[in-house]
Amino acid sequence: LSPLTIANASAGDARNPPRWQLSWSVVTASTWWVEVWNLGRTVVAEAIYLAADLGASSGRLVAGRFDGTRLELDEIHRFPNGPITVGGTMFWDALAQWREIQLGLRKAADRYGSQITSVGVDTWGVDYALLSRDDQLLGNPVHHRDRRTDGMMQRAFDIVPREEIFAATGLQFLPFNTLFQLLAMKEANSPLLEVADTLLMMPDLFH
């Protein structure tokens, strides 16, 4: 938008330009800055960015408050997030995680309202969920610390050379990598692979 000049008594005098100028500019899709030059400072409408941070033992909903120059973090909600072992397999409790994320979002909405700009999910980078053709969750996602990947790294190298895998992925070889988890499912003849239509990494499941 063009600068809006508020003329004062000296507006017509070239040697005394107007003292008040109000300039608007868009910094992000949601944040507007107002520059009041006569005060020599910038006043910014504070924006709130929410993050659901899911760790190995606990989760939390955090608000990042940004005023244009300073970022401050407020923890809105924290909850336990340990794995659950059923029938010898270690799972994530995805439904409980979703419930806690929603609870944290409600708390954030009560506190910040329309200041909230975006929501993101941060979590482990190797675990995933399988969905059916109608987007139904096919069981709880398996935890990366589950023992199903024991021996899967070498089994993968027997099928595809290590060099080719690295050239395609560029990842450090760790026993719980997604590739080895999927291979473990294949080696176990998991029926989920027959009916799965979509694979989502855990952040995308909650998005």
Side-chain angles (χ1 to χ4, degrees):
L1 297 177
S2 301
L4 172 64
T5 300
I6 304 176
N8 62 8
S10 303
D13 187 346
R15 294 170 299 177
N16 296 289
R19 294 187 305 164
W20 297 89
Q21 289 184 316
L22 185 63
S23 174
W24 297 77
S25 61
V26 179
V27 177
T28 66
S30 61
T31 306
W32 290 80
W33 295 60
V34 180
E35 296 180 356
V36 185
W37 289 324
N38 72 303
L39 295 178
R41 65 188 180 91
T42 301
V43 180
V44 181
E46 186 177 67
I48 306 297
Y49 302 89
L50 301 180
D53 175 28
L54 303 179
S57 60
S58 66
R60 59 180 182 162
L61 199 291
V62 178
R65 298 189 290 108
F66 184 62
D67 65 2
T69 58
R70 181 180 178 85
L71 177 65
E72 296 184 357
L73 300 180
D74 292 336
E75 183 176 286
I76 306 299
H77 179 58
R78 180 177 285 271
F79 53 93
N81 190 41
I84 297 176
T85 300
V86 179
T89 300
M90 188 179 295
F91 297 96
W92 290 112
D93 192 348
L95 298 182
Q97 292 166 344
W98 178 231
R99 180 190 65 229
E100 296 293 345
I101 289 173
Q102 290 183 93
L103 178 57
L105 290 175
R106 284 194 291 269
K107 290 181 178 180
D110 290 341
R111 182 178 302 186
Y112 298 113
S114 61
Q115 288 180 274
I116 297 174
T117 297
S118 65
V119 181
V121 180
D122 166 49
T123 183
W124 45 93
V126 296
D127 293 340
Y128 56 89
L130 297 176
L131 276 64
S132 65
R133 286 185 302 173
D134 58 350
D135 291 333
Q136 296 299 309
L137 180 63
L138 298 175
N140 273 317
V142 176
H143 196 288
H144 56 267
R145 293 179 181 174
D146 185 74
R147 300 295 298 273
R148 68 176 176 165
T149 57
D150 289 356
M152 288 301 109
M153 187 183 299
Q154 186 56 52
R155 175 64 177 139
F157 297 155
D158 292 341
I159 301 171
V160 180
R162 171 193 291 260
E163 294 76 14
E164 289 188 27
I165 295 176
F166 184 78
T169 66
L171 296 177
Q172 178 184 4
F173 289 113
L174 298 170
F176 46 71
N177 284 357
T178 308
L179 172 64
F180 307 133
Q181 293 196 46
L182 288 169
L183 181 58
M185 294 186 70
K186 182 179 183 299
E187 293 289 300
N189 295 314
S190 172
L192 295 182
L193 293 178
E194 298 295 325
V195 296
D197 183 74
T198 303
L199 182 151
L200 293 178
M201 305 308 290
M202 292 301 292
D204 290 326
L205 175 66
F206 296 113
H207 280 144

